[in-house]
């Protein structure tokens, strides 16, 4: 069965500094990978997705992620964060095929400080 | 174009009661999924509806049931509420042409006392 691990429950960072949020997945089959962001008291918004092709994926708000099949990782990066990036970030995987149900990690709180 | 909408926004119930949550998918979407997000956790897949039938189900008891209507809107019903059912319930819909991308609604916050 697929699973997603987000090792960092919280990542504090100063404004304008770079950040990386880590995500590892376990799966014996090809998967599709996603990063979602959740602002306080809101639903989930898709940041970016990897379905196939280039392993470097660019998303909204200046975020990007790199798919590494050998390390089963899909880390999220941003070169310079803003206060407004403070939110909970979820990595998710779907096995594809006939289903698009999402399996989520436990989330990482990105706390941007001035 | 309205996105995914859910009602109500908040709900307070007592143990043993029953609750119904509603979801309207984004225009053009025919598949609706429901997720439960407990405090401090990632969302957990409950089930998915397509063409008015439950297509896939996660590891949730039969107390959780659902329905999809001909206009693709959906309901989530939970019977015999437990304290542990307190959570944010998220609805997500998928476009016809890209079933791997799900769009989420703002959620319904259910509190069971």
């Amino acid at each position: 069965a697929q699973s997603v691990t987000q090792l960092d429950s919280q990542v504090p960072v100063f404004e304008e500094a770079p950040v990386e949020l880590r995500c590892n997945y376990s799966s014996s089959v090809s998967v599709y990978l996603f990063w979602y962001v959740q602002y306080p008291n809101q639903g989930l918004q898709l940041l970016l997705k990897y379905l196939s092709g280039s392993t470097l994926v660019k998303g909204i708000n200046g975020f990007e992620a790199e798919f590494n099949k050998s390390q089963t990782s899909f880390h999220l990066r941003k070169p310079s964060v803003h206060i407004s990036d403070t939110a909970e970030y979820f990595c998710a995987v779907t096995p594809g095929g006939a289903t698009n149900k999402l399996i989520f990690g436990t989330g990482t709180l990105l706390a941007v400080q001035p | 174009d309205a996105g995914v909408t859910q009602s109500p926004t908040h709900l307070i119930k007592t143990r043993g009661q029953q609750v119904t949550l509603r979801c309207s998918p984004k225009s053009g979407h025919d598949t609706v999924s429901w997720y439960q997000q407990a405090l401090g956790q990632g969302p957990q897949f409950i089930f998915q509806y397509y063409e008015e039938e439950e297509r896939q189900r996660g590891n949730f008891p039969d107390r959780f049931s659902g329905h999809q209507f001909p206009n693709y809107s959906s309901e989530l019903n939970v019977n015999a509420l437990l304290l542990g059912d307190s959570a944010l319930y998220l609805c997500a819909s998928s476009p016809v042409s890209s079933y791997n991308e799900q769009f989420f609604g703002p959620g319904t916050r259910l509190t069971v006392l």
Side-chain angles (χ1 to χ4, degrees), chain B residues 77-109:
Chain B
N77 300 292
V78 186
N79 295 320
L81 285 167
L82 303 173
L83 295 179
D85 294 332
S86 295
L88 179 67
Y89 288 85
L90 296 164
C91 170
S93 69
S94 308
V96 172
S97 62
S98 177
Y99 64 84
N100 281 300
E101 180 169 354
Q102 297 192 35
F103 293 76
F104 283 80
T108 294
R109 173 73 63 186

Side-chain angles (χ1 to χ4, degrees), chain B residues 40-87:
Chain B
Q41 299 296 318
Q44 298 289 317
F45 176 76
I46 303 174
F47 43 54
Q48 183 179 86
Y49 277 83
Y50 172 70
E51 292 188 340
E52 304 180 48
E53 291 191 358
E54 183 182 291
R55 184 161 76 167
Q56 189 169 15
R57 189 178 184 91
N59 188 25
F60 279 80
D62 292 343
R63 298 187 298 108
F64 289 77
S65 63
H67 187 76
Q68 186 178 35
F69 299 93
N71 67 352
Y72 306 124
S73 67
S74 177
E75 288 182 350
L76 164 65
N77 300 292
V78 186
N79 295 320
L81 285 167
L82 303 173
L83 295 179
D85 294 332
S86 295

